[in-house]
Amino acid sequence: MSEPIVSRFAPSPTGRLHLGHALSAVRAHDLARAAGGRFLVRIEDIDATRSRPEHVDAILADLAALGLGWDGPVWHQSRRLDAYAAALDQLRDAGLLYPCFCTRADIAREVAASLSAPHGPDGPVYPGTCRALPPGLRAERLARDPHSWRLDMAAAVARVGPLDWHDATAGTIRADPLGHGDVVLARKDAPASYHLAVTVDDAAQGVSDVVRGRDLFAATHVHRLLQALLGLAVPRYHHHPLIVSADGRRLAKRDGAPTLDRFRDADGRLDDLAQKLRAGRLPLGFALATA
Ligand code: GLU
């Protein structure tokens, strides 16, 4: 018998859900339910400055209105900081992390001064300034200055060798994390970064299938590497197309994408919307992106 399917929906409570989130949630839910598996909900609230409890309540109410019931307690990343600290210790002990004291302005200045600053999926790649700090200065600054922790990407990739992961649409993918540069794993203002927390938690919750938008496809290269470094199980991935508005623009909270309230029926329910999304029919004015 194959392993039971465990899927999850993992929203960040920095705003209300939009259509793209609803699509992720419906697909993750249905994938598990169709196989008699479990569907989990995890609130990704490590960013204390942007997360709001009222958004958590609204997100859970939206999921209920969509008719998506979840299994077990809802996890909150803000209650999982010890697990992230343990993973960081493991990577630090393996000699793969270094403290970074750069401010955003430092990095922008350095990138602007370089003639050929490499770009990754999320913009210019960290130029590696603090990787080369002499040990004495590093120790001195560590005791004194605010810092994040970065992964020494080249060393990490060399440590584990070639890795593959599997996407339901794209097939077997060779992990290519190098292009991300030395990613931050613990932020100055938060004890873990998205990459670390999501990887640790998917493994801790026994998630077998990660369903999420195509915008996170490139991040999976980093997650696959972290799984190898931390000795974690590797889920299957299902990156679905993004929903765009009629003018082709991506839905984003910060650009005022409509919340799900716009799609409620007279009883405040969202079951019709969920059915539409299942059938691949989008509300008027929205479409699935082709790329
Ligand atoms: N928390 C992320 C977001 O809301 C999604 C994380 C994931 O599905 O891996 O964009």
Side-chain angles (χ1 to χ4, degrees), residues 35-166:
R38 304 177 71 229
F39 171 62
L40 312 178
V41 174
R42 181 172 73 229
I43 300 295
E44 304 215 316
D45 57 352
I46 30 173
D47 187 339
T49 55
R50 294 175 61 225
S51 298
R52 298 267 177 279
E54 60 270 27
H55 293 319
V56 177
D57 296 341
I59 287 169
L60 298 179
D62 283 345
L63 291 176
L66 283 160
L68 308 179
W70 58 87
D71 296 301
V74 172
W75 279 32
H76 293 254
Q77 290 193 323
S78 55
R79 301 174 195 163
R80 300 259 313 138
L81 304 188
D82 289 351
Y84 311 141
L88 283 170
D89 282 345
Q90 198 179 328
L91 296 171
R92 207 181 286 111
D93 291 349
L96 296 173
L97 299 188
Y98 63 87
C100 173
F101 307 96
C102 295
T103 61
R104 276 174 204 274
D106 293 334
I107 297 172
R109 212 175 308 117
E110 184 101 9
V111 166
S114 140
L115 289 178
S116 58
H119 276 60
D122 304 319
V125 161
Y126 177 63
T129 324
C130 288
R131 195 191 322 119
L133 279 189
L137 181 56
R138 177 177 286 167
E140 191 185 305
R141 294 201 65 182
L142 200 50
R144 189 186 65 206
D145 295 335
H147 51 275
S148 60
W149 287 91
R150 289 185 181 271
L151 182 67
D152 183 338
M153 184 58 84
V157 166
R159 187 75 55 92
V160 294
L163 300 167
D164 290 334
W165 53 277
H166 192 267

Side-chain angles (χ1 to χ4, degrees), residues 23 27 214-215 239-246 248-251 282 286-291:
L23 181 65
R27 289 199 178 187
R214 187 78 178 66
D215 52 334
H239 292 101
H240 62 73
L242 300 182
I243 297 181
V244 291
S245 55
R249 285 199 313 155
R250 243 176 78 170
L251 303 185
L282 291 177
F286 299 92
L288 279 183
T290 46

Side-chain angles (χ1 to χ4, degrees), residues 148-151 182-188 192-196:
S148 60
W149 287 91
R150 289 185 181 271
L151 182 67
D182 293 352
V183 289
V184 170
L185 294 188
R187 292 166 33 169
K188 276 183 192 168
S193 71
Y194 160 66
H195 292 309
L196 184 76

Side-chain angles (χ1 to χ4, degrees), residues 8-12 21 42 44 194 198 202 210-213 215-216 223 253:
R8 50 59 162 191
F9 177 58
S12 308
H21 298 112
R42 181 172 73 229
E44 304 215 316
Y194 160 66
V198 82
D202 282 337
V210 171
V211 180
R212 60 188 177 194
D215 52 334
L216 291 170
H223 303 171
K253 288 173 195 168

Side-chain angles (χ1 to χ4, degrees), residues 200-223:
V200 167
D201 283 351
D202 282 337
Q205 293 191 281
V207 170
S208 65
D209 289 78
V210 171
V211 180
R212 60 188 177 194
R214 187 78 178 66
D215 52 334
L216 291 170
F217 189 95
T220 308
H221 296 307
V222 177
H223 303 171

